[in-house]
Amino acid sequence: MSEENLNYAEFGVAKKAEGKNKLHRILLVCAYVLFAVAYAGIFISVRIPQVIAILPIFVWMFIFFTWKHVKFDYEYKIEQGEMIFVKAYTPKKKKELFRFRVREAKKIVPITDFSKQDMFTGAVYDFRGSSKSPASYMALVAVDGKDACVYFEATVQAVKLLHRLNDKTIVSGDLKF
């Protein structure tokens, strides 16, 4: 983010291999190995072992089309008063996941300031690279008339901009970016 532009912020973070994402990565690696073993076994059993020579090409294609679903980045940008969350598979292939108007957020606070009494049963959107990130923030927004909780990793510049757009934003002194 440039220091001159006070109305725009952009930040990206790679999704870490933890929780559900780690499980999916392990299952994909097992699928790659199982595919290679099954492919080799089938063609050895029918006595055409020469076809095994193209196995690396098929494994590469399998990896190319599936691995991007477990290795991606979350990006968010704040522009024109909206906060937009995007899942970036490649620099050119991105999918918008969620957006909300910053001034309509009920509160934007660091997760450490979020007490147990504020817990609710609404939808939860987690756009953090790691659930253990010290820069984790939470925005409480209304989606279709119901409260939703949006988790994201914040930078000092982004939090300052969020505070300018919504006075219910709490600026944490713990951000060290």
Side-chain angles (χ1 to χ4, degrees):
M1 179 179 117
S2 71
E3 291 295 326
E4 299 86 33
N5 192 351
L6 300 175
N7 296 318
Y8 180 81
E10 188 173 42
F11 182 68
V13 62
K15 180 66 178 162
K16 304 283 190 279
E18 64 183 23
K20 194 174 177 181
N21 190 290
K22 185 176 184 177
L23 174 66
H24 288 159
R25 287 180 182 213
I26 291 169
L27 290 174
L28 269 179
V29 170
C30 291
Y32 302 149
V33 171
L34 184 65
F35 172 75
V37 169
Y39 182 90
I42 289 170
F43 285 106
I44 288 175
S45 67
V46 294
R47 298 178 192 219
I48 312 174
Q50 298 85 354
V51 180
I52 296 174
I54 59 172
L55 174 63
I57 295 169
F58 289 132
V59 171
W60 175 83
M61 287 174 25
F62 191 22
I63 292 170
F64 180 79
F65 289 110
T66 58
W67 192 251
K68 64 184 172 187
H69 295 288
V70 294
K71 183 160 175 57
F72 55 85
D73 295 341
Y74 283 124
E75 296 177 359
Y76 72 80
K77 55 186 169 182
I78 304 166
E79 63 182 5
Q80 299 177 355
E82 286 191 323
M83 191 162 192
I84 304 162
F85 294 93
V86 175
K87 186 187 251 187
Y89 297 105
T90 65
K92 292 184 181 180
K93 185 173 182 191
K94 298 179 180 186
K95 178 183 176 186
E96 183 176 314
L97 300 173
F98 190 78
R99 80 170 43 212
F100 68 92
R101 299 218 42 88
V102 175
R103 74 169 174 236
E104 295 172 0
K106 294 179 182 173
K107 62 179 160 181
I108 302 172
V109 296
I111 290 183
T112 55
D113 292 351
F114 189 62
S115 66
K116 296 287 183 194
Q117 65 187 1
D118 293 331
M119 294 303 282
F120 65 97
T121 59
V124 175
Y125 301 96
D126 193 351
F127 302 118
R128 297 176 291 173
S130 171
S131 61
K132 298 174 182 84
S133 171
S136 294
Y137 259 71
M138 188 251 352
L140 189 61
V141 298
V143 177
D144 298 329
K146 297 180 182 176
D147 285 344
C149 187
V150 180
Y151 296 119
F152 61 96
E153 291 185 39
T155 63
V156 173
Q157 294 87 358
V159 172
K160 286 180 182 177
L161 179 56
L162 289 169
H163 185 64
R164 277 190 50 230
L165 296 170
N166 186 334
D167 58 349
K168 297 173 190 155
T169 302
I170 297 176
V171 180
S172 171
D174 296 338
L175 295 176
K176 295 179 176 41
F177 282 84

